[in-house]
Amino acid sequence: MMGNMNRQVKMCLLSVLIILASPVFHFQPCNETFIAAFSTSTTTTTARTPSSTSKSSDGFHRSRNNTKAAVIFLHGLGDTPDGWSKLTEVLPSIRPNLANIDITYVFPPAPYIGVSVNGGEKMPGWFDVFDWPIGLDAKDDPKGLAQSVRSVEKIVKQLEEEEGIHPSRVVIGGFSQGGAVALMAAYNRRKKDAIPFAGCICLSGWLPMKQYLDIDEGAAESTPLLWAHGQHDKKIVFEQQTYGVNKLENAGVDVTACTYPVGHETADFEEIADMADFLESVLAMKAAKPKKPRSADPDFHGKEEAENEDETNALLYYLCAIGIEESLKAAS
């Protein structure tokens, strides 16, 4: 009886932490625009971290234990890293073994950009959004996606050079729009010599550039994915998970798909617990050696000439992702 009561008290406390960690996220349509009801700070919030972690001036939350690893988590459109930085407390409270891993948590802020569905007004965003809600036929912003992926890659490089954290020990994750960037950074059109990440987390996100997947075999085999999505999500429609999971599984990605009876929010204990379970599993495993890349789409041959707007977008993303100078060298 007492054991059950203690468990209920613990669950209540964890639920409070999770709610505090979640962004106040809702959109209010207004004359074909929307207003984000939350703070727009451009700096990472200083989170109260456990005694085993510390936060430096660069926004990195570092553990002080043994095995080195990193989690890069990207917030959603119009949001800030503030609430998400509470994950440094919530995740180890659910899976205490995470406190025994030397994890550096990074919560980068998105730049302020003009967002089309917001009437062109500037707000924190990883790339432009042209449709709302985000359905399967939503238009992509390949240039914005490429720029955000490059930002993630710079963080990964910084972690390796300054913290000694190998890319194979890095988990890339994000919520909503941040989840879309995480998927692109982990799987789509990576450089031939890129080292696969330890894992990828997509919370209520979507798979951009669906028709132009080019997934490295090493990434598909060595970077498992957790995709969590609310069954009643009216902003990033639930069908996005079904479609994206099938697409990635067909490309060889090991996907754990979880669904919950919620909308577009992350105050669900089960979802955060699944995230903690996933992190514990991938960071406790030794990363597999990267293998030679292959195309997830057998009909894709890297055409240099675009025949329509969609192919132009795909080519633009590819050039931005690998760097125009590098593509010219490869062609010469």
Side-chain angles (χ1 to χ4, degrees):
M1 179 74 175
M2 184 62 68
N4 291 334
M5 183 177 297
N6 289 336
R7 186 175 185 277
Q8 292 176 356
V9 170
K10 183 177 181 181
M11 291 285 285
C12 289
L13 290 174
L14 289 176
S15 297
V16 171
L17 282 173
I18 292 168
I19 292 173
L20 291 175
S22 303
V24 182
F25 192 97
H26 68 272
F27 288 112
Q28 183 178 5
C30 179
N31 296 328
E32 298 183 348
T33 65
F34 59 85
I35 302 171
F38 26 61
S39 169
T40 54
S41 169
T42 59
T43 58
T44 303
T45 300
T46 302
R48 181 178 60 82
T49 56
S51 58
S52 60
T53 65
S54 64
K55 178 181 178 294
S56 65
S57 59
D58 58 9
F60 285 20
H61 298 255
R62 298 176 174 85
S63 293
R64 297 195 184 111
N65 296 303
N66 298 320
T67 309
K68 284 190 173 184
V71 175
I72 302 172
F73 195 87
L74 312 177
H75 61 75
L77 178 66
D79 197 9
T80 72
D82 296 1
W84 291 105
S85 63
K86 300 296 190 301
L87 288 175
T88 61
E89 303 170 47
V90 176
L91 294 171
S93 72
I94 298 174
R95 286 291 174 265
N97 190 43
L98 290 175
N100 298 322
I101 304 173
D102 187 0
I103 302 176
T104 296
Y105 293 88
V106 185
F107 303 93
Y112 272 70
I113 62 171
V115 178
S116 295
V117 292
N118 197 28
E121 293 294 324
K122 289 188 175 182
M123 64 192 306
W126 299 108
F127 54 87
D128 198 3
V129 175
F130 305 97
D131 303 286
W132 198 259
I134 305 296
L136 293 176
D137 58 349
K139 182 180 177 181
D140 291 316
D141 173 18
K143 183 177 180 180
L145 281 163
Q147 291 173 339
S148 291
V149 169
R150 290 295 291 270
S151 296
V152 171
E153 291 173 344
K154 288 179 180 178
I155 296 174
V156 173
K157 184 177 180 180
Q158 182 182 356
L159 287 168
E160 184 173 21
E161 294 179 348
E162 299 182 7
E163 304 294 324
I165 301 174
H166 196 261
S168 64
R169 296 287 296 162
V170 175
V171 175
I172 309 292
F175 172 74
S176 192
Q177 192 187 46
V181 175
L183 289 174
M184 296 295 286
Y187 301 110
N188 201 10
R189 301 183 184 279
R190 301 200 69 205
K191 296 179 181 179
K192 293 183 179 181
D193 59 347
I195 298 172
F197 297 123
C200 181
I201 298 173
C202 177
L203 304 183
S204 303
W206 74 97
L207 180 66
M209 309 297 289
K210 298 179 181 65
Q211 304 304 320
Y212 298 94
L213 279 180
D214 185 15
I215 300 181
D216 175 83
E217 184 178 5
E221 294 184 357
S222 303
T223 307
L225 168 66
L226 170 66
W227 191 323
H229 215 107
Q231 296 170 336
H232 309 302
D233 196 330
K234 302 301 182 183
K235 297 178 174 67
I236 314 300
V237 299
F238 181 60
E239 289 77 14
Q240 288 281 15
Q241 186 199 41
T242 303
Y243 184 93
V245 167
N246 289 337
K247 195 82 172 177
L248 290 168
E249 284 184 333
N250 289 337
V253 179
D254 179 11
V255 183
T256 299
C258 300
T259 61
Y260 317 91
V262 298
H264 196 67
E265 68 265 358
T266 55
D268 184 78
F269 173 82
E270 185 179 358
E271 182 177 18
I272 302 301
D274 287 338
M275 180 178 178
D277 289 344
F278 179 79
L279 285 174
E280 183 180 46
S281 67
V282 298
L283 293 181
M285 296 171 58
K286 184 177 181 181
K289 295 181 179 179
K291 297 185 178 181
K292 294 181 179 180
R294 67 173 175 83
S295 172
D297 182 357
D299 294 327
F300 177 81
H301 303 294
K303 296 181 180 179
E304 296 182 1
E305 295 184 359
E307 297 177 357
N308 53 44
E309 183 181 357
D310 288 339
E311 290 185 358
T312 301
N313 288 342
L315 182 59
L316 176 59
Y317 177 80
Y318 178 75
L319 292 175
C320 291
I322 69 171
I324 294 178
E325 292 183 1
E326 294 179 15
S327 66
L328 293 176
K329 290 180 181 178
S332 61

